[in-house]
């Protein structure tokens, strides 16, 4: 293991150790590393987000410094290009950022000029980390399971009158299932924007996750018009090999409010 040491916002010393060469196949939801915090080491799966968010600086140290994740900026740049090409003013965006985590994507949307940015995540630890690491980025933050919303949650979602949905590094692999994504799309107004990324395997012909079928269905039934698509390297895997994703920017079609 080759360690990477990163300073954290709270001066906690975080050291990441990746396993390097190991035998067999390890899918993305089984990847792991060792995280040493102030001299105490523990083994965590990359998907133990609750534990990772609880350590200031650990999420950035692992996914950004060590694994070179690019997704928040790739998705933001693609959305920015689509807005420019259509002459849409970013300051009119009212963004629902689902799978928001500790706020990296919310921060990108703020920098783009969005007037409203609301986070949504299934974990209370994500909201706490966003408040700790990026205070003021989100106007509101809903800790909910999108597949099991209460009427109160629905009302809170509707009250923000979203016209943009972002979802970065949060689809599939035990994170958001297709139904959760579809539920989020329902809160985006017709003509609203969608900017998201997904592992390329999940949008290919051989996909069994249900995402390819759902996205094709939304396009074929005229609910979504895809404006931009880009294949890119989302991050490295735990052995240092590139993971390819697709970034997509689409718009909800006018009159599609009853089609979902
Ligand atoms: C890899 S993190 C991405 C965080 C952020 N979007 C980023 O790019 O840094 C995935 C996030 O999705 C959240 N998540 C997983 N399943 C979810 C669900 N069903 N509904 C909402 N969020 C979910 C996780 O809790 C986690 O915070």
């Amino acid at each position: 293991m080759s360690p990477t040491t990163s300073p954290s916002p709270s001066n906690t010393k975080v050291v990441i150790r990746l396993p390097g060469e190991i035998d067999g196949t390890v899918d993305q939801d089984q990847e792991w590393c060792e995280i040493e915090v102030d001299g105490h080491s523990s083994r965590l799966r990359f998907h133990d987000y609750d534990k990772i968010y609880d350590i200031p600086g650990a999420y950035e140290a692992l996914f950004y410094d060590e694994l070179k994740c690019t997704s928040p900026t790739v998705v933001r740049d693609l959305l920015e290009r689509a807005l420019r090409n259509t002459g849409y003013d970013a300051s009119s965006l009212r963004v629902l950022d689902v799978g928001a985590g500790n706020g990296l994507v919310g921060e990108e949307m703020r920098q783009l000029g969005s007037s409203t940015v609301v986070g949504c995540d299934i974990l209370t630890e994500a909201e706490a980390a966003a408040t700790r690491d990026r205070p003021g980025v989100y106007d509101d933050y809903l800790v909910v399971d999108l597949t099991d919303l209460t009427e109160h949650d629905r009302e809170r979602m509707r009250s923000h009158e979203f016209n943009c949905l972002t979802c970065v590094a949060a689809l599939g692999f035990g994170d958001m299932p297709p139904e959760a994504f579809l539920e989020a799309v329902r809160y985006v107004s017709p003509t609203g924007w969608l900017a998201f990324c997904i592992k390329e395997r999940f949008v290919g012909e051989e996909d069994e996750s249900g995402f390819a079928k759902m996205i094709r269905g939304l396009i074929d039934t005229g609910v979504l018009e895809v404006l931009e698509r880009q294949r890119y390297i989302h991050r490295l895997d735990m052995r240092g090999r590139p993971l390819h994703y697709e970034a997509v920017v689409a718009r909800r079609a006018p009159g599609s409010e009853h089609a979902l």
Side-chain angles (χ1 to χ4, degrees):
M1 290 192 185
S2 60
T4 301
T5 307
S6 300
S8 88
S10 66
N11 294 327
T12 311
K13 191 173 155 217
V14 178
V15 181
I16 305 288
R17 290 191 189 86
L18 295 173
E21 279 312 307
I22 52 161
D23 293 333
T25 333
V26 180
D27 215 340
Q28 256 173 270
D29 53 351
Q30 296 303 322
E31 292 182 298
W32 55 274
C33 65
E34 271 180 22
I35 299 190
E36 186 186 304
V37 184
D38 291 339
H40 300 283
S41 200
S42 54
R43 181 170 161 159
L44 292 181
R45 285 188 323 130
F46 290 5
H47 277 222
D48 288 335
Y49 297 122
D50 51 349
K51 298 190 181 76
I52 294 174
Y53 290 141
D54 276 348
I55 308 166
Y59 185 82
E60 286 81 355
L62 174 58
F63 292 105
Y64 290 85
D65 299 344
E66 186 68 32
L67 300 171
K68 314 293 177 211
C69 181
T70 60
S71 285
T73 46
V74 168
V75 171
R76 171 233 158 108
D77 288 350
L78 207 62
L79 175 61
E80 194 169 15
R81 186 200 304 172
L83 297 176
R84 205 172 37 243
N85 289 344
T86 52
Y88 192 95
D89 184 355
S91 68
S92 302
L93 291 179
R94 302 177 59 81
V95 180
L96 169 62
D97 179 28
V98 296
N102 69 347
L104 279 149
V105 177
E107 191 167 61
E108 294 285 348
M109 292 301 114
R110 277 281 173 226
Q111 285 166 5
L112 193 57
S114 313
S115 60
T116 301
V117 187
V118 172
C120 169
D121 203 287
I122 203 164
L123 294 175
T124 50
E125 291 84 352
E127 181 188 19
T131 306
R132 177 194 65 210
D133 299 340
R134 293 177 180 79
V137 156
Y138 292 112
D139 297 290
D140 191 8
Y141 200 112
L142 285 84
V143 177
V144 292
D145 178 350
L146 280 163
T147 63
D148 190 22
L149 294 180
T150 63
E151 192 44 45
H152 174 72
D153 299 330
R154 290 178 207 278
E155 191 42 52
R156 203 164 145 203
M157 291 282 247
R158 282 192 289 263
S159 72
H160 290 293
E161 300 181 346
F162 298 115
N163 59 15
C164 182
L165 171 69
T166 53
C167 184
V168 174
L171 296 177
F173 286 118
D175 284 339
M176 289 177 56
E179 312 83 66
F181 182 72
L182 200 57
E183 181 64 10
V185 176
R186 294 193 175 103
Y187 295 94
V188 179
S189 65
T191 77
W193 298 87
L194 274 78
F196 61 97
C197 66
I198 186 161
K199 192 173 172 70
E200 65 174 355
R201 185 173 98 203
F202 294 158
V203 280
E205 290 299 321
E206 71 294 349
D207 172 57
E208 288 172 2
S209 70
F211 279 108
K213 191 167 165 222
M214 178 196 66
I215 292 168
R216 250 194 321 271
L218 290 172
I219 295 167
D220 292 349
T221 53
V223 173
L224 288 189
E225 182 195 2
V226 174
L227 301 182
E228 304 278 351
R229 285 185 107 124
Q230 183 183 321
R231 182 177 187 262
Y232 70 101
I233 296 174
H234 159 60
R235 66 167 171 82
L236 305 178
D237 71 8
M238 73 180 199
R239 287 186 263 201
R241 296 171 307 191
L243 295 172
H244 288 99
Y245 271 49
E246 197 168 315
V248 178
V249 173
R251 263 187 116 162
R252 274 200 64 178
S256 66
E257 53 271 54
H258 302 302
L260 282 173

